[in-house]
Amino acid sequence: MSNRPMDRYGRDVLDPRTQRAARPRTVDVPMEIGMVVEDPASGYVGEIMGWENGLVILEDRHGKRRAFPVGPGFWLDGKPVALRIPPRTGSTTRYTASGSRVGDPGRPAKVALPSRIYVEGRHDAELVEKIWGSDLRHVGVVVEYLGGIDDLVSIVAEFRPEKGRRLGVLVDHLVSGTKEQRIAAEVARGGYGDVVRIAGHRFIDIWQAIRPEVLGIKAWPEVPRDVDFKKGTLAALGMPHHDQIDIANAWKAMLGRVRTFRDLDPDFTREVEKLIDFVTQDHLDEID
């Protein structure tokens, strides 16, 4: 009988050692909108936004786009791939990572609307950008991160919401009896009527909005309340967790596994889409 310890989580897809076990062979992969690939020669990592004339258009998390020749030389999920133009299926309709139809890539970007969406943390903003960034740019909605919601009452007041200048806020762990719920209720008592909407999800941290199977784990581990959530999660998963660099590297790897809205918890997806609908209500005649 083997004396090797049992792995509670199975093979950890985020562990780079699993990618070095054998030298992988390049395989052909049909391109998909929302697929995240890396050009190892330059270190550029981006989401596939489209392809034309033998070039694939990638967009990084900062919204900057670059074009690369279609073919070999890319990495996908830590393995070398050759990107191929997918066969035609009778329809040229393409979709964003959120499942929306891709608009005309030659159309100029929309001027930002006065309405805004605020999210609680940087990772929240990056995840929203990854999935809904194309949609948000199409409608002209800017997403900003708060760095916490303890001062949300004054932040909302400073924004001065009104008709045509709506504010949507996405809050972590918005469940009954929490600090977040009490702050949201205090904002609601501020008399903003129908121009402020606070939405939230049940997760302690935005990491948990990613479906665990996408990361190759069976479930998100439970972390004691007196332990830092991110460090405790990484420790339970057997990943480096000692400082902010470890946390940043882990999040980058997790975010790289997310390709479309289907990789996220459906309740979380619905809340984000409700916020987008809410802040654009007064501008429907400006959005085509």
Side-chain angles (χ1 to χ4, degrees):
M1 179 180 296
S2 172
N3 291 323
R4 295 178 59 189
M6 181 179 67
D7 186 346
R8 292 173 55 198
Y9 298 99
R11 185 182 182 190
D12 182 3
V13 297
L14 301 179
D15 188 345
R17 290 174 298 181
T18 64
Q19 302 167 6
R20 295 197 299 262
R23 188 174 184 83
R25 180 174 57 87
T26 298
V27 297
D28 289 348
V29 173
M31 291 183 291
E32 298 178 7
I33 296 296
M35 179 183 289
V36 177
V37 297
E38 177 183 358
D39 171 48
S42 64
Y44 185 91
V45 178
E47 173 185 346
I48 294 179
M49 307 304 294
W51 50 87
E52 57 183 348
N53 301 325
L55 298 175
V56 56
I57 311 301
L58 303 183
E59 180 177 282
D60 67 13
R61 64 180 183 175
H62 303 294
K64 296 181 180 179
R65 295 189 178 189
R66 289 183 59 180
F68 296 87
V70 172
F74 296 92
W75 284 77
L76 173 66
D77 293 339
K79 298 178 182 179
V81 297
L83 297 180
R84 302 302 182 191
I85 297 175
R88 294 183 178 274
T89 59
S91 172
T92 57
T93 301
R94 291 179 289 165
Y95 296 89
T96 68
S98 71
S100 302
R101 291 188 177 186
V102 175
D104 180 2
R107 181 170 298 175
K110 288 281 179 63
V111 176
L113 297 178
S115 299
R116 291 287 188 272
I117 292 177
Y118 288 168
V119 296
E120 189 170 350
R122 184 182 297 275
H123 292 177
D124 306 59
E126 290 175 347
L127 183 60
V128 170
E129 162 63 26
K130 177 72 177 287
I131 301 302
W132 289 275
S134 295
D135 297 1
L136 292 165
R137 281 185 288 277
H138 173 71
V139 298
V141 172
V142 174
V143 173
E144 301 178 15
Y145 82 94
L146 299 173
I149 65 166
D150 288 350
D151 297 325
L152 187 59
V153 173
S154 59
I155 289 171
V156 173
E158 182 179 354
F159 182 79
R160 300 190 304 276
E162 60 185 8
K163 184 174 175 57
R165 184 180 170 82
R166 292 172 178 254
L167 178 62
V169 184
L170 182 67
V171 176
D172 294 341
H173 204 215
L174 189 62
V175 296
S176 178
T178 62
K179 174 192 75 173
E180 291 79 5
Q181 192 276 333
R182 291 192 294 273
I183 293 174
E186 189 174 353
V187 172
R189 292 193 294 270
Y192 299 105
D194 297 330
V195 293
V196 174
R197 179 189 179 103
I198 298 179
H201 53 78
R202 66 188 185 277
F203 307 114
I204 296 174
D205 189 275
I206 195 65
W207 287 14
Q208 295 176 316
I210 302 175
R211 294 169 55 218
E213 55 267 33
V214 172
L215 306 179
I217 59 178
K218 294 180 180 179
W220 284 101
E222 294 188 11
V223 178
R225 292 191 177 186
D226 60 344
V227 174
D228 178 87
F229 174 82
K230 290 183 171 68
K231 290 183 178 180
T233 296
L234 296 180
L237 294 176
M239 299 175 64
H241 57 279
H242 300 293
D243 52 32
Q244 191 60 39
I245 294 177
D246 289 336
I247 292 173
N249 289 337
W251 171 243
K252 181 180 179 181
M254 292 177 191
L255 191 62
R257 299 295 190 269
V258 178
R259 300 179 186 174
T260 76
F261 70 100
R262 296 183 180 87
D263 295 329
L264 304 178
D265 178 86
D267 292 338
F268 170 75
T269 297
R270 279 192 291 271
E271 292 303 320
V272 174
E273 293 179 347
K274 286 179 182 178
L275 280 184
I276 296 174
D277 290 343
F278 173 79
V279 299
T280 56
Q281 279 184 29
D282 301 329
H283 311 281
L284 296 179
D285 57 341
E286 306 170 33
I287 301 170
D288 51 19

